[in-house]
Every structure is written in C-alpha cells, then in structure tokens.
Amino acid sequence: MNRPPELLTSPSNPLIKSLKSLERKKERTETGLFLAEGARIVGQGLACGWTPETVVIAADVAERPQIAALARAAEKAGARVVLAPERLMSKITQKDNAQSVVAAFRQRHLALTDLTPAAKTDPLYIALYEVRDPGNLGTILRTADCAGASGVILVGTCCDPFSFEAVRASMGSLFDMPVASASFAAFDAWRRGKGLTLTAASVNGTLRHDAAPFAKPSVILMGNEQAGLPADAEAACDHLALIPMRGGADSLNLAQATGIMIYEAWRQRGYA
Ligand code: SAM
C-alpha cells in the first residue's frame, strides 16, 4: 500500500456497525453488499473480478506478504482498505475465531439470459426449487463449482445466496458459479428454448439416477427441503430420477442428493 491504512479502534465506529449490519437481509438488500470472510475467499472474489467496497484486515497480520499483496490488489480494485484489532474483526462476523480478512462485496443478480455456458461444453445447470437452507445452498454452489457445472438457478422463493451462512458454506464458489433467479414458468420456458433436458431428482422417481441421460445439455432440478417438488413441476420434467435408499429415512439431505446427481452427470460425461 502507498500510505499506512486507517486503523479502526472503536466497536462503535460506523464502518464496523455497517459491516456487521450485513448479517441482516434488509441491510444487504438496501446496500446491495454482502460479506465474505477469509484471505483465500476474499482473494478468490478479487481474482474472479468481483468488486470489494471495503476490506478489513486484522492489524497483527497486515505485514504478511500474502495479506499485504491482497490489500494492494483490493486497493487497486478501488476498495477502501482498513486495519482493525482482532476483537473488532470478531465483532463484524460474530465469530470467536475471527478471520484475518473480511470484505464487503457488491452483489450480482443474474437473469436466465445472463447464463452463458463455456464454449465447447454441453451445459449442465443445477436448478433449486425453493431452497430454504443457506447452508445447503452454499454447499451446492461449492459442489457445482467443483464439478464444473455451468450455473445454478434459484427457482421461486429461495434463501439468500449472499447471507453469511451461504457465502461461508460455498467457500468462495459463489464468486465462480453464475447464479440466476427465475419463476418456475420462466425457467421451464427458458430451458425448453435452449433444448435442455430437465431431470428432477425426486423420491417419486421412476428411473434410477444413474440411468437418467446426462450426456446432452441438461438441467438437474432439485426440490425443497421439506416439500420436495410440486406435482406441476414434476409433470414438466423429462425424467424423474430416484437415488436408491434402503434404510429407514424417507429422503437424503438436499445438498447430498444434489452432490450425487451432479457427480453422476459428470461421470456420464467422462469427467471431461
Ligand atoms: N419430503 C420431501 C419430498 O417428498 O421430496 C423430501 C425432500 S428432500 C429432503 C429434498 C430434495 O432432495 C428432494 O426434493 C429431491 O430433489 C432430493 N432427494 C432427496 N432424496 C432423494 C432420493 N432418494 N432420490 C432423488 N432425490 C432425492
């Protein structure tokens, strides 16, 4: 950094208060910002071209070469970079073991028309019908990213992908994975227009999940944690796939079921 960064010292500093307020959906909506924690995740956001407005760095680690490089990159991207003692870092994220870097990034909201799969690949999208648990959503973003999915579509009223919990569970994949939102009707019209096969994972499935065809451009549709998929959504699908179960539980956890489906699709594509 060219000049010594500002050092925050008081928990009543307005910047600390406004960053802390981003735990609430209302404040995230009003400001259009969200928080990401951890040097690796904040670095990933910067590397993916997301814009941080503010970056707070724990004063005791600011001189470390990796952290100093991150501070320089954040400043170059136009962020306000400040230092804070560890006790204030944990105030922002309400965690005892505070991360050494916390950043407020500007949110991005995509429409279906913004989704553009990488050239020369058959697209594979993951659609989540009214996902409500941010931990599930973040975990699914991470899995979709690991398997190189083309994007994730939030169908209907879903939880906020920019909540603390979702961002944490995504481990930075939120920055890599395009996430669009749509009603079911708009989503279904879009996927038909694109020639995407729609396969739902459902406990009502008649086809075993590894018999569902994923070699062609596809969407995997997953149901809500409590209610699954409504009958009209299942009726719109080309295939309903069941992941076998033999214990007493009536279903798998949503994020785990999604992981099994995504990896089956990728297996059928030869992990290419
Ligand atoms: N009671 C809900 C139901 O009837 O669908 C259970 C919902 S389950 C926790 C959440 C979603 O995970 C389901 O809608 C489905 O997409 C997927 N899922 C869970 N277990 C599955 C299985 N064995 N086969 C296929 N999909 C499954």
Side-chain angles (χ1 to χ4, degrees):
M1 275 175 272
N2 300 330
R3 57 192 152 68
E6 181 187 349
L7 175 67
L8 307 180
T9 51
S10 163
S12 53
N13 182 295
L15 180 60
I16 298 284
K17 284 186 167 173
S18 70
L19 292 175
K20 190 171 149 354
S21 77
L22 294 177
E23 75 185 303
R24 295 189 293 274
K25 173 94 196 285
K26 182 172 174 283
E27 267 74 11
R28 289 196 300 277
T29 305
E30 279 173 13
T31 59
L33 299 174
F34 71 101
L35 276 194
E37 313 156 61
R40 194 192 67 74
I41 292 174
V42 172
Q44 191 175 347
L46 278 163
C48 292
W50 286 59
T51 319
E53 300 255 319
T54 308
V55 178
V56 188
I57 295 177
D60 58 339
V61 300
E63 301 296 320
R64 288 188 194 159
Q66 186 208 357
I67 303 286
L70 188 139
R72 280 194 300 276
E75 273 200 338
K76 204 170 157 205
R80 173 182 176 192
V81 178
V82 299
L83 303 183
E86 197 188 320
R87 74 191 154 80
L88 291 194
M89 300 297 290
S90 38
K91 273 247 170 304
I92 298 170
T93 57
Q94 313 258 303
K95 274 193 358 193
D96 291 342
N97 55 340
Q99 295 278 356
S100 52
V101 180
V102 175
F105 282 88
R106 189 141 293 282
Q107 298 175 20
R108 285 184 189 172
H109 295 271
L110 303 184
L112 291 169
T113 48
D114 296 318
L115 296 176
T116 44
K120 295 191 187 149
T121 57
D122 277 330
L124 175 69
Y125 291 101
I126 318 304
L128 305 175
Y129 190 96
E130 303 203 340
V131 56
R132 291 290 157 79
D133 180 322
N136 276 341
L137 174 54
T139 304
I140 292 168
L141 289 172
R142 185 176 177 182
T143 309
D145 186 20
C146 286
S150 313
V152 171
I153 300 155
L154 302 179
V155 178
T157 307
C158 292
C159 59
D160 182 5
F162 299 109
S163 68
F164 275 25
E165 205 186 341
V167 177
R168 258 178 213 155
S170 90
M171 287 299 288
S173 290
L174 176 73
F175 293 121
D176 264 334
M177 194 42 40
V179 180
S181 304
S183 66
F184 184 80
F187 156 72
D188 194 35
W190 169 83
R191 71 94 190 171
R192 286 175 193 276
K194 295 267 174 208
L196 297 162
T197 302
L198 183 57
T199 299
S202 168
V203 292
N204 305 318
T206 46
L207 192 63
R208 210 171 75 181
H209 75 299
D210 54 353
F214 290 116
K216 299 262 168 61
S218 303
V219 185
I220 296 171
L221 175 64
M222 304 298 301
N224 164 270
E225 288 91 340
Q226 265 77 46
L229 287 165
D232 58 344
E234 290 201 344
C237 293
D238 299 304
H239 307 286
L240 292 186
L242 173 71
I243 304 165
M245 298 180 288
R246 65 174 184 179
D250 66 354
S251 64
L252 288 149
N253 160 275
L254 170 62
Q256 288 175 336
T258 311
I260 292 169
M261 294 297 291
I262 293 174
Y263 269 77
E264 171 54 28
W266 196 24
R267 185 193 68 77
Q268 289 185 22
R269 294 168 176 216
Y271 299 113

